[in-house]
Amino acid sequence: MLQSPPAAPPRGITVSSRAATVKRRGRYGAPAVLIAPFLILFTAAMLIPIGYAVYLSLFTERHSGLGFGEAETIFTGLGNYTRALGDAAFRGGFLTIAQYCLLYIPVMVGLSLTVALLLDSALARAKRFFQLALFLPHAVPGIIAALVWTYLYTPGISPVLDALGSAGAQLDVLGHPLPAVVNMAVWEWTGYNMIIFFAALQAVPREVLEAALVDGAGALRTAFSIKIPLIRTSITMVGLFTLIGSLQLFTEPMILRGAAPGVTTTWTPNMYAYTAAFERNDYGLAAAASVLLALAAALLSFIVTRATRARSVRRKEAAR
Amino acid sequence: MSAHAKKSRPWSLSRGAVNGALVLVTLHTLLPLGWLLTAAAKNTPDLLGGNTLSLSNFHLTDNLHALATADGGIYFRWYLNSLLYAGGGALLCAFICVCAGYAFEVYTFRGQEKLFGLVLVGVLIPTTALALPMYLLASRIGIVNTFWAVFIPSLVFPFGVYLSRIFVSGYVPAEVLEAARMDGAGELRTFWSIGLRMVTPGFVTVFLFQFTAIWNNFFLPLVMLSNSKLFPVSLGLYSWNAQTRSFPEFYPLVVTGSLLAVLPLVVAFVALQRHWKAGLTAGSVK
């Protein structure tokens, strides 16, 4: 970028390319001023906390002798990491998340994709109403969604459980926290992701769909053989963000814990880190757990993006 | 569709079945909101007795009065805090994001794509995994339990920078910027008078995303704040809910308070449909 500015372009070639305009100016001032606020905050509120967490995770505090006096800070290397990974409660948190994902992701993605396909079909009425209604849960704070659902799960308070009960169906929701939390999450996110899928479906070229119709493909066949493959990128993106979001599970089980004894203080990795920090004051362990959680998220997103890229490359090669 | 296609259509795809399925999913969505609406008007015995879906026993005004006076009227202080955290935070955050997105799209500079790659990595970092390290850091520098401990982290929104870049490339033609430069406007002047105005839809979208995120955020304030006067609504309702076990009279407060906390967002989303739809599309499909 330090070369001398190019000569004025010959007539007939437009200067609309942005790179060209800026090279001619050759100034760093304006972009630096515009990016600086973000970069400073990004460093302060993301990069430094990550660095500090890694640093903290390498130390532990030990109280000398009888537990009186100043606490000593001791370098333990990877000690906190082995402690976290060796703790059955921490591993149990990841197991909870794994079970949660196995249930939640297929149900939520399947449901939002189905609804998007239904709305995209010529048969649906009142499309804007359905879209808005289904999107509304996104406007509800997670904590309030969790509160309301917890009330709806509580026998006596819940009109739904009462109605089911008088119909002879006793439903012990609070005894099964995993599906109870999955239902809350499905409620919160189905509409949001449905909008994404719907927008992607609207972008599918109409000629392709007409060609399928001419070839005699029915609505189901078109959905499975044309529409879904064409919006695969959106499906992967939604899956990836859902996976990262699932790793952070905290608010919903935290609220449900008051009513469902099956939810322990270390039910998810985030709850484990929170408990380690605020109930046991074990900051080294809490930091190690947070770093491991962030690493797991990074690793998962790397694998997912890598796998989908490999697949799309393979498809392109196969098409050649 | 032709008459022939209609005949061969499987039963599951009739108009009735399609719309029936949509109604069913929508019912599941609206049930908790409907419950919140009716339950907010109930007193403690009716609420705990499960008589919430009936429209009789209307106590909404009593509940609102209780809400305004409980704990010395702290609920509306929480509400004001939330408006400050979310409104001020999202406004500043959207401006910062648009500035950065504009710079990434309009200029070419060394290390540009590497820097943008870093922003994209930021999108993928779980924010709750960051909250705890942030707390530890904030307690080291002594800003734990202050307004800033919640406000400053909410200004950082890497996804907003990504969105802004996409919006600038769609809404700000290079020719217009070039024309402004020809007229002798400086770079920052060009950004302020032309770039920023043209990318207003993007600004509104980022604002809306971040406003929702801050309004809904629970983990960060939970970790950072212990002074209940600084709580946002979400944390305040959480602290009240924790007391319902020993004091059932807090139940109507929590429920009515929840309804009031949901309303502004629902209104915003209904009013600004065009923007959030555009934002979701720009962010996830391209």
PDB file of all heavy atoms in Angstrom, chain A residues 4 43 65 70 73-74 89 119 123 126 140 155 162 185 222 235 241 249 251 253 271 275 284 296-298 307-308 318:
ATOM      1  N   SER A   4       3.540   4.402  -5.021  1.00  0.00           N
ATOM      2  CA  SER A   4       3.065   5.733  -5.393  1.00  0.00           C
ATOM      3  C   SER A   4       1.691   5.597  -6.008  1.00  0.00           C
ATOM      4  O   SER A   4       1.368   4.570  -6.601  1.00  0.00           O
ATOM      5  CB  SER A   4       4.020   6.374  -6.385  1.00  0.00           C
ATOM      6  OG  SER A   4       4.133   5.525  -7.509  1.00  0.00           O
ATOM      7  N   THR A  43     -10.540  -4.614  22.386  1.00  0.00           N
ATOM      8  CA  THR A  43      -9.377  -5.042  23.156  1.00  0.00           C
ATOM      9  C   THR A  43      -9.697  -5.059  24.649  1.00  0.00           C
ATOM     10  O   THR A  43      -9.389  -6.027  25.341  1.00  0.00           O
ATOM     11  CB  THR A  43      -8.195  -4.082  22.890  1.00  0.00           C
ATOM     12  OG1 THR A  43      -8.025  -3.960  21.488  1.00  0.00           O
ATOM     13  CG2 THR A  43      -6.917  -4.605  23.510  1.00  0.00           C
ATOM     14  N   GLY A  65      -1.313 -22.349  56.580  1.00  0.00           N
ATOM     15  CA  GLY A  65      -1.536 -22.943  57.892  1.00  0.00           C
ATOM     16  C   GLY A  65      -2.981 -23.046  58.326  1.00  0.00           C
ATOM     17  O   GLY A  65      -3.746 -23.839  57.785  1.00  0.00           O
ATOM     18  N   GLU A  70      -2.938 -13.504  55.072  1.00  0.00           N
ATOM     19  CA  GLU A  70      -3.010 -13.270  53.636  1.00  0.00           C
ATOM     20  C   GLU A  70      -3.012 -14.584  52.864  1.00  0.00           C
ATOM     21  O   GLU A  70      -2.320 -15.531  53.224  1.00  0.00           O
ATOM     22  CB  GLU A  70      -1.792 -12.448  53.193  1.00  0.00           C
ATOM     23  CG  GLU A  70      -1.838 -11.007  53.647  1.00  0.00           C
ATOM     24  CD  GLU A  70      -2.764 -10.168  52.783  1.00  0.00           C
ATOM     25  OE1 GLU A  70      -2.411  -9.939  51.612  1.00  0.00           O
ATOM     26  OE2 GLU A  70      -3.844  -9.776  53.261  1.00  0.00           O
ATOM     27  N   THR A  73      -0.677 -16.524  46.474  1.00  0.00           N
ATOM     28  CA  THR A  73      -0.984 -16.897  45.102  1.00  0.00           C
ATOM     29  C   THR A  73       0.158 -17.742  44.556  1.00  0.00           C
ATOM     30  O   THR A  73       1.316 -17.324  44.582  1.00  0.00           O
ATOM     31  CB  THR A  73      -1.176 -15.643  44.230  1.00  0.00           C
ATOM     32  OG1 THR A  73      -2.151 -14.823  44.860  1.00  0.00           O
ATOM     33  CG2 THR A  73      -1.652 -16.006  42.849  1.00  0.00           C
ATOM     34  N   ILE A  74      -0.199 -18.935  44.135  1.00  0.00           N
ATOM     35  CA  ILE A  74       0.829 -19.882  43.702  1.00  0.00           C
ATOM     36  C   ILE A  74       0.620 -20.249  42.243  1.00  0.00           C
ATOM     37  O   ILE A  74      -0.514 -20.486  41.819  1.00  0.00           O
ATOM     38  CB  ILE A  74       0.768 -21.168  44.554  1.00  0.00           C
ATOM     39  CG1 ILE A  74       0.931 -20.814  46.027  1.00  0.00           C
ATOM     40  CG2 ILE A  74       1.834 -22.156  44.119  1.00  0.00           C
ATOM     41  CD1 ILE A  74       0.594 -21.953  46.931  1.00  0.00           C
ATOM     42  N   ALA A  89     -18.213 -33.320  38.124  1.00  0.00           N
ATOM     43  CA  ALA A  89     -19.295 -32.334  37.984  1.00  0.00           C
ATOM     44  C   ALA A  89     -19.090 -31.495  36.719  1.00  0.00           C
ATOM     45  O   ALA A  89     -20.042 -31.176  36.008  1.00  0.00           O
ATOM     46  CB  ALA A  89     -19.342 -31.433  39.214  1.00  0.00           C
ATOM     47  N   LEU A 119     -44.547 -21.751   5.204  1.00  0.00           N
ATOM     48  CA  LEU A 119     -44.844 -20.355   4.873  1.00  0.00           C
ATOM     49  C   LEU A 119     -44.441 -20.025   3.436  1.00  0.00           C
ATOM     50  O   LEU A 119     -45.027 -19.157   2.803  1.00  0.00           O
ATOM     51  CB  LEU A 119     -44.118 -19.413   5.838  1.00  0.00           C
ATOM     52  CG  LEU A 119     -44.759 -19.239   7.204  1.00  0.00           C
ATOM     53  CD1 LEU A 119     -43.866 -18.403   8.117  1.00  0.00           C
ATOM     54  CD2 LEU A 119     -46.119 -18.578   7.083  1.00  0.00           C
ATOM     55  N   LEU A 123     -49.626 -22.359  -0.239  1.00  0.00           N
ATOM     56  CA  LEU A 123     -50.871 -22.650   0.473  1.00  0.00           C
ATOM     57  C   LEU A 123     -51.084 -21.812   1.725  1.00  0.00           C
ATOM     58  O   LEU A 123     -52.197 -21.666   2.202  1.00  0.00           O
ATOM     59  CB  LEU A 123     -50.884 -24.136   0.864  1.00  0.00           C
ATOM     60  CG  LEU A 123     -50.808 -25.109  -0.321  1.00  0.00           C
ATOM     61  CD1 LEU A 123     -50.511 -26.510   0.171  1.00  0.00           C
ATOM     62  CD2 LEU A 123     -52.100 -25.073  -1.095  1.00  0.00           C
ATOM     63  N   ALA A 126     -51.994 -15.548   5.589  1.00  0.00           N
ATOM     64  CA  ALA A 126     -51.580 -14.629   6.671  1.00  0.00           C
ATOM     65  C   ALA A 126     -50.106 -14.794   7.035  1.00  0.00           C
ATOM     66  O   ALA A 126     -49.742 -14.904   8.196  1.00  0.00           O
ATOM     67  CB  ALA A 126     -52.465 -14.849   7.908  1.00  0.00           C
ATOM     68  N   VAL A 140     -38.744 -11.319  24.126  1.00  0.00           N
ATOM     69  CA  VAL A 140     -38.922 -11.585  25.557  1.00  0.00           C
ATOM     70  C   VAL A 140     -37.573 -11.935  26.181  1.00  0.00           C
ATOM     71  O   VAL A 140     -36.912 -12.875  25.726  1.00  0.00           O
ATOM     72  CB  VAL A 140     -39.919 -12.736  25.766  1.00  0.00           C
ATOM     73  CG1 VAL A 140     -40.059 -13.065  27.240  1.00  0.00           C
ATOM     74  CG2 VAL A 140     -41.265 -12.383  25.171  1.00  0.00           C
ATOM     75  N   PRO A 155     -47.193 -27.458  38.940  1.00  0.00           N
ATOM     76  CA  PRO A 155     -48.563 -27.928  39.193  1.00  0.00           C
ATOM     77  C   PRO A 155     -49.250 -26.992  40.186  1.00  0.00           C
ATOM     78  O   PRO A 155     -48.617 -26.491  41.106  1.00  0.00           O
ATOM     79  CB  PRO A 155     -48.354 -29.316  39.825  1.00  0.00           C
ATOM     80  CG  PRO A 155     -46.937 -29.681  39.561  1.00  0.00           C
ATOM     81  CD  PRO A 155     -46.173 -28.416  39.367  1.00  0.00           C
ATOM     82  N   ASP A 162     -53.066 -28.220  34.816  1.00  0.00           N
ATOM     83  CA  ASP A 162     -54.351 -28.498  35.450  1.00  0.00           C
ATOM     84  C   ASP A 162     -55.337 -29.082  34.455  1.00  0.00           C
ATOM     85  O   ASP A 162     -56.047 -30.052  34.750  1.00  0.00           O
ATOM     86  CB  ASP A 162     -54.934 -27.218  36.066  1.00  0.00           C
ATOM     87  CG  ASP A 162     -54.199 -26.846  37.339  1.00  0.00           C
ATOM     88  OD1 ASP A 162     -53.279 -27.594  37.712  1.00  0.00           O
ATOM     89  OD2 ASP A 162     -54.544 -25.814  37.950  1.00  0.00           O
ATOM     90  N   ALA A 185     -36.152 -23.285  25.164  1.00  0.00           N
ATOM     91  CA  ALA A 185     -35.249 -22.820  24.110  1.00  0.00           C
ATOM     92  C   ALA A 185     -35.922 -22.892  22.742  1.00  0.00           C
ATOM     93  O   ALA A 185     -35.758 -21.989  21.916  1.00  0.00           O
ATOM     94  CB  ALA A 185     -33.967 -23.646  24.122  1.00  0.00           C
ATOM     95  N   THR A 222     -39.964 -31.184  -4.160  1.00  0.00           N
ATOM     96  CA  THR A 222     -39.271 -29.914  -4.394  1.00  0.00           C
ATOM     97  C   THR A 222     -38.575 -29.448  -3.118  1.00  0.00           C
ATOM     98  O   THR A 222     -37.431 -29.004  -3.144  1.00  0.00           O
ATOM     99  CB  THR A 222     -40.281 -28.841  -4.837  1.00  0.00           C
ATOM    100  OG1 THR A 222     -41.088 -29.382  -5.866  1.00  0.00           O
ATOM    101  CG2 THR A 222     -39.575 -27.607  -5.338  1.00  0.00           C
ATOM    102  N   ILE A 235     -28.701 -23.184   6.850  1.00  0.00           N
ATOM    103  CA  ILE A 235     -28.945 -24.225   7.856  1.00  0.00           C
ATOM    104  C   ILE A 235     -27.675 -24.452   8.673  1.00  0.00           C
ATOM    105  O   ILE A 235     -27.721 -24.565   9.900  1.00  0.00           O
ATOM    106  CB  ILE A 235     -29.434 -25.526   7.195  1.00  0.00           C
ATOM    107  CG1 ILE A 235     -30.730 -25.255   6.416  1.00  0.00           C
ATOM    108  CG2 ILE A 235     -29.662 -26.612   8.236  1.00  0.00           C
ATOM    109  CD1 ILE A 235     -31.237 -26.437   5.623  1.00  0.00           C
ATOM    110  N   PHE A 241     -24.438 -21.365  15.123  1.00  0.00           N
ATOM    111  CA  PHE A 241     -24.730 -20.382  16.167  1.00  0.00           C
ATOM    112  C   PHE A 241     -25.546 -21.003  17.296  1.00  0.00           C
ATOM    113  O   PHE A 241     -25.389 -20.638  18.464  1.00  0.00           O
ATOM    114  CB  PHE A 241     -25.443 -19.159  15.578  1.00  0.00           C
ATOM    115  CG  PHE A 241     -24.491 -18.196  14.923  1.00  0.00           C
ATOM    116  CD1 PHE A 241     -24.474 -18.007  13.553  1.00  0.00           C
ATOM    117  CD2 PHE A 241     -23.579 -17.493  15.693  1.00  0.00           C
ATOM    118  CE1 PHE A 241     -23.566 -17.133  12.960  1.00  0.00           C
ATOM    119  CE2 PHE A 241     -22.671 -16.609  15.109  1.00  0.00           C
ATOM    120  CZ  PHE A 241     -22.674 -16.429  13.740  1.00  0.00           C
ATOM    121  N   LEU A 249     -25.453 -22.235  27.936  1.00  0.00           N
ATOM    122  CA  LEU A 249     -26.698 -22.407  28.690  1.00  0.00           C
ATOM    123  C   LEU A 249     -26.525 -22.038  30.165  1.00  0.00           C
ATOM    124  O   LEU A 249     -25.662 -22.583  30.854  1.00  0.00           O
ATOM    125  CB  LEU A 249     -27.140 -23.866  28.563  1.00  0.00           C
ATOM    126  CG  LEU A 249     -28.559 -24.204  29.001  1.00  0.00           C
ATOM    127  CD1 LEU A 249     -29.562 -23.438  28.160  1.00  0.00           C
ATOM    128  CD2 LEU A 249     -28.791 -25.694  28.864  1.00  0.00           C
ATOM    129  N   THR A 251     -29.095 -19.098  31.919  1.00  0.00           N
ATOM    130  CA  THR A 251     -30.243 -18.408  32.504  1.00  0.00           C
ATOM    131  C   THR A 251     -31.413 -19.351  32.783  1.00  0.00           C
ATOM    132  O   THR A 251     -31.949 -19.375  33.900  1.00  0.00           O
ATOM    133  CB  THR A 251     -30.713 -17.292  31.551  1.00  0.00           C
ATOM    134  OG1 THR A 251     -29.597 -16.471  31.234  1.00  0.00           O
ATOM    135  CG2 THR A 251     -31.788 -16.455  32.191  1.00  0.00           C
ATOM    136  N   PRO A 253     -31.793 -22.787  33.064  1.00  0.00           N
ATOM    137  CA  PRO A 253     -31.689 -23.739  34.185  1.00  0.00           C
ATOM    138  C   PRO A 253     -31.541 -23.050  35.534  1.00  0.00           C
ATOM    139  O   PRO A 253     -32.006 -23.563  36.550  1.00  0.00           O
ATOM    140  CB  PRO A 253     -30.437 -24.568  33.850  1.00  0.00           C
ATOM    141  CG  PRO A 253     -29.762 -23.883  32.739  1.00  0.00           C
ATOM    142  CD  PRO A 253     -30.758 -23.037  32.046  1.00  0.00           C
ATOM    143  N   MET A 271     -22.724 -22.804  34.674  1.00  0.00           N
ATOM    144  CA  MET A 271     -23.151 -22.814  36.072  1.00  0.00           C
ATOM    145  C   MET A 271     -22.003 -23.282  36.955  1.00  0.00           C
ATOM    146  O   MET A 271     -21.826 -22.797  38.072  1.00  0.00           O
ATOM    147  CB  MET A 271     -24.387 -23.709  36.245  1.00  0.00           C
ATOM    148  CG  MET A 271     -25.628 -23.162  35.550  1.00  0.00           C
ATOM    149  SD  MET A 271     -27.001 -24.345  35.508  1.00  0.00           S
ATOM    150  CE  MET A 271     -27.664 -24.181  37.169  1.00  0.00           C
ATOM    151  N   THR A 275     -20.533 -21.097  39.942  1.00  0.00           N
ATOM    152  CA  THR A 275     -20.471 -21.633  41.306  1.00  0.00           C
ATOM    153  C   THR A 275     -19.043 -21.591  41.845  1.00  0.00           C
ATOM    154  O   THR A 275     -18.812 -21.213  42.997  1.00  0.00           O
ATOM    155  CB  THR A 275     -20.991 -23.084  41.322  1.00  0.00           C
ATOM    156  OG1 THR A 275     -22.260 -23.116  40.674  1.00  0.00           O
ATOM    157  CG2 THR A 275     -21.135 -23.589  42.733  1.00  0.00           C
ATOM    158  N   GLY A 284      -9.240 -19.301  40.185  1.00  0.00           N
ATOM    159  CA  GLY A 284      -8.389 -20.039  39.236  1.00  0.00           C
ATOM    160  C   GLY A 284      -9.196 -21.107  38.529  1.00  0.00           C
ATOM    161  O   GLY A 284      -9.155 -21.233  37.295  1.00  0.00           O
ATOM    162  N   ALA A 296     -13.836 -24.898  23.709  1.00  0.00           N
ATOM    163  CA  ALA A 296     -14.789 -25.859  23.142  1.00  0.00           C
ATOM    164  C   ALA A 296     -15.620 -25.196  22.053  1.00  0.00           C
ATOM    165  O   ALA A 296     -15.833 -25.781  20.976  1.00  0.00           O
ATOM    166  CB  ALA A 296     -15.697 -26.414  24.240  1.00  0.00           C
ATOM    167  N   ALA A 297     -16.049 -23.948  22.295  1.00  0.00           N
ATOM    168  CA  ALA A 297     -16.836 -23.226  21.285  1.00  0.00           C
ATOM    169  C   ALA A 297     -16.019 -22.999  20.024  1.00  0.00           C
ATOM    170  O   ALA A 297     -16.494 -23.218  18.898  1.00  0.00           O
ATOM    171  CB  ALA A 297     -17.318 -21.888  21.849  1.00  0.00           C
ATOM    172  N   ALA A 298     -14.761 -22.565  20.216  1.00  0.00           N
ATOM    173  CA  ALA A 298     -13.900 -22.298  19.059  1.00  0.00           C
ATOM    174  C   ALA A 298     -13.668 -23.578  18.263  1.00  0.00           C
ATOM    175  O   ALA A 298     -13.758 -23.596  17.031  1.00  0.00           O
ATOM    176  CB  ALA A 298     -12.568 -21.717  19.532  1.00  0.00           C
ATOM    177  N   ALA A 307     -15.861 -28.653   8.004  1.00  0.00           N
ATOM    178  CA  ALA A 307     -16.604 -29.767   7.400  1.00  0.00           C
ATOM    179  C   ALA A 307     -17.502 -29.277   6.273  1.00  0.00           C
ATOM    180  O   ALA A 307     -17.568 -29.885   5.205  1.00  0.00           O
ATOM    181  CB  ALA A 307     -17.431 -30.477   8.459  1.00  0.00           C
ATOM    182  N   THR A 308     -18.179 -28.141   6.490  1.00  0.00           N
ATOM    183  CA  THR A 308     -19.094 -27.669   5.446  1.00  0.00           C
ATOM    184  C   THR A 308     -18.319 -27.160   4.251  1.00  0.00           C
ATOM    185  O   THR A 308     -18.746 -27.334   3.118  1.00  0.00           O
ATOM    186  CB  THR A 308     -20.006 -26.546   5.975  1.00  0.00           C
ATOM    187  OG1 THR A 308     -19.201 -25.618   6.664  1.00  0.00           O
ATOM    188  CG2 THR A 308     -21.069 -27.093   6.877  1.00  0.00           C
ATOM    189  N   ALA A 318     -17.500 -32.447  -7.862  1.00  0.00           N
ATOM    190  CA  ALA A 318     -18.367 -33.490  -8.438  1.00  0.00           C
ATOM    191  C   ALA A 318     -19.180 -32.927  -9.598  1.00  0.00           C
ATOM    192  O   ALA A 318     -19.490 -33.628 -10.560  1.00  0.00           O
ATOM    193  CB  ALA A 318     -19.305 -34.026  -7.355  1.00  0.00           C
TER     194      ALA A 318
END
